Amino acid sequence: MSLDVTKCEICPNKCGVDRRIATGVCGVNADIRIARADLHFWEEPIVSGEKGSGTIFFSGCNLRCVFCQNYEISTLRRGKTVTVDELIVEIKNLEEKGAENINFVTPTHYAYAVKEALEKYKPRIPVVYNTSAYESVSTLKELEGLVDVYLPDFKYYSSVLSKSLSGRSDYAEVALNAIKEMFRQVGEPTVENGLIKKGVIIRHLVLPGNVEDSVNVLKTVYAEFGEKVWYSIMSQYFPSGRAKEYPPLDRRLKGVEYKAVVAKAEKMGMNNCFIQETSSAKEEYVPEFFGDYPKK
Ligand code: SF4
């Protein structure tokens, strides 16, 4: 029972806690908490389209990156509690607003709720699963046929770096296996009228002072997936969360660093790839969240 919250092993942390009465690494119990449900225009163009991506941000996170750009909800767990039926209402509201897709952001620890909601109500528009990629293959298998587009990060290559910044030395291995499963489910991208309907987009946020690791990330994913997925090399890093305690993450990304990573991607022959202006490293990319902060 990979989605059993009474002995939670939903993600690779395998905390084994009973989330009806306790919390694990993700910091949240079995109550579903969301911190935003609205149109979002700053995803990749084939995700946001013209009308915006219908994002639903979940509170808590199973991967505690020290530089988290959404610290307020991932670690401080800001949000409001909803039932599965209320989650479905949010999905329907976003459809009515004209969303190009329903985009579940950091849903891993609530995979059981996502599954239940989608089994009760499958939107007419594509479902996007937007994740750190620190996922269990068995949990992903539970979502087969319900998710159309996977939007995983691939954050680190080095186990030393992933241990130091996210507390997990097995990140790269776990993420690669998870993305293989995502690709097995949805296959190569289908893009219609400039919008992705099915497929995988692998995101990588370039971190200050870590060009070599970024290059190794791109080499790893390109060797595995080639042009069968899309890639997104992101420059929007800004110091957030506890980043100030972890130099060089206490500064913004330099243009020269981002360009060095993009140049390597081009040299590798990576074509299906989104790149950004380094000027996009602004805190405006963090949307406004709603809800309160749980006391414990
Ligand atoms: S979902 Fe949360 S409680 Fe469950 S294994 Fe992952 S981090 Fe632990």
Side-chain angles (χ1 to χ4, degrees):
M1 283 284 288
S2 63
L3 300 187
D4 181 6
V5 295
T6 66
K7 193 173 176 299
C8 189
E9 295 191 348
I10 285 173
C11 85
N13 289 322
K14 296 193 173 191
C15 302
V17 296
D18 183 348
R19 284 178 57 194
R20 293 170 302 177
I21 52 171
T23 59
V25 173
C26 56
V28 283
N29 62 24
D31 294 340
I32 311 158
R33 284 176 72 77
I34 62 171
R36 181 179 169 88
D38 208 349
L39 298 176
H40 193 60
F41 295 89
W42 296 279
E43 307 284 28
E44 289 75 8
I46 58 172
V47 178
S48 286
E50 287 183 2
K51 298 184 213 149
S53 178
T55 47
I56 298 179
F57 286 77
F58 290 95
S59 312
C61 184
N62 70 327
L63 193 66
R64 296 304 188 85
C65 307
V66 298
F67 55 87
C68 181
Q69 314 279 285
N70 289 332
Y71 191 78
E72 194 182 342
I73 60 169
S74 63
T75 301
L76 303 182
R77 297 162 293 148
R78 184 174 181 187
K80 69 173 184 183
T81 301
V82 293
T83 63
V84 167
D85 286 339
E86 286 166 341
L87 185 60
I88 292 170
V89 169
E90 297 287 3
I91 293 170
K92 288 181 177 173
N93 285 345
L94 289 166
E95 277 188 297
E96 275 173 27
K97 281 185 181 176
E100 310 279 17
N101 43 57
I102 298 299
N103 183 347
F104 294 114
V105 184
T106 321
T108 310
H109 46 293
Y110 289 124
Y112 56 90
V114 167
K115 178 177 177 172
E116 190 183 339
L118 293 175
E119 282 177 343
K120 277 180 148 177
Y121 179 73
K122 180 77 167 81
R124 299 181 300 275
I125 50 181
V127 170
V128 180
Y129 193 86
N130 186 335
T131 165
S132 69
Y134 199 66
E135 297 272 358
S136 295
V137 169
S138 56
T139 293
L140 292 171
K141 283 185 189 292
E142 298 279 344
L143 301 170
E144 185 164 8
L146 298 172
V147 172
D148 304 293
V149 178
Y150 280 104
L151 200 48
D153 294 334
F154 202 111
K155 293 174 182 289
Y156 319 100
Y157 172 79
S158 156
S159 57
V160 174
L161 195 63
S162 65
K163 173 76 177 163
S164 127
L165 300 183
S166 293
R168 291 291 172 266
S169 54
D170 61 354
Y171 174 83
E173 185 191 344
V174 166
L176 192 61
N177 283 333
I179 298 172
K180 283 183 194 171
E181 170 60 20
M182 296 173 196
F183 180 73
R184 185 194 69 75
Q185 288 183 21
V186 298
E188 296 190 30
T190 305
V191 179
E192 292 170 9
N193 300 322
L195 286 167
I196 189 161
K197 303 293 180 188
K198 228 171 185 10
V200 178
I201 304 173
I202 300 175
R203 285 176 161 173
H204 175 67
L205 177 67
V206 182
L207 298 175
N210 284 285
V211 167
E212 189 185 342
D213 197 70
S214 288
V215 170
N216 285 332
V217 163
L218 297 184
K219 281 183 183 167
T220 302
V221 290
Y222 199 63
E224 183 65 42
F225 301 106
E227 296 293 315
K228 292 186 285 192
V229 300
W230 278 82
Y231 301 95
S232 179
I233 306 175
M234 305 166 79
S235 64
Q236 66 208 52
Y237 179 86
F238 63 89
S240 178
R242 294 190 290 129
K244 287 196 167 26
E245 300 162 33
Y246 291 82
L249 298 191
D250 56 346
R251 63 163 169 85
R252 295 204 172 207
L253 183 68
K254 293 176 185 167
V256 66
E257 293 173 315
Y258 184 68
K259 282 178 188 153
V261 176
V262 170
K264 286 283 187 188
E266 285 169 354
K267 203 170 167 194
M268 271 182 246
M270 201 176 254
N271 284 320
N272 295 341
C273 184
F274 294 102
I275 58 172
Q276 294 177 312
E277 301 295 325
T278 42
S279 59
S280 58
K282 291 177 185 164
E283 291 182 33
E284 291 96 88
Y285 271 88
V286 179
E288 275 190 28
F289 299 117
F290 54 57
D292 54 18
Y293 300 90
K295 291 189 177 61
K296 54 177 187 171

